[in-house]
Amino acid sequence: VVYETPHPAEAALYGTRCPYLRPRWRELPARLLDVGFGGRWWVLGARLRDCDVNEEEFQGLPERLRRVETHHLRSHR
């Protein structure tokens, strides 16, 4: 689980030391950034899917070359 904290843990601020000002369980969903399990980060994996594809770069190509179908792909097993 990766979540956002307002202050670093090593900060000597009153807000980080006071138990009444620490994030509560009900605030956790708003601070949650990602959940990982089995070597996979769910939110990060979805956001990075096709992150390096620049659609504007391919606008000058003919329509038949803009589509990638499964028989065009070659991979080594």
Side-chain angles (χ1 to χ4, degrees):
V1 175
V2 177
Y3 67 96
E4 179 183 22
T5 60
H7 305 288
E10 57 272 352
L13 301 172
Y14 179 75
T16 61
R17 301 290 180 211
C18 179
Y20 298 106
L21 297 177
R22 290 187 185 155
R24 304 282 185 214
W25 282 105
R26 67 178 178 266
E27 297 174 7
L28 183 63
R31 296 178 184 265
L32 190 64
L33 298 176
D34 202 354
V35 177
F37 183 74
R40 181 174 179 252
W41 292 101
W42 289 329
V43 175
L44 185 63
R47 289 185 181 170
L48 289 180
R49 187 173 296 126
D50 297 330
C51 67
D52 60 344
V53 176
N54 186 357
E55 298 295 334
E56 292 84 26
E57 183 178 349
F58 299 106
Q59 292 300 321
L61 293 175
E63 181 62 34
R64 65 180 180 83
L65 294 177
R66 286 189 224 164
R67 288 187 313 259
V68 177
E69 298 173 5
T70 56
H71 67 276
H72 293 139
L73 302 175
R74 297 186 180 115
S75 62
H76 299 283
R77 294 180 188 195

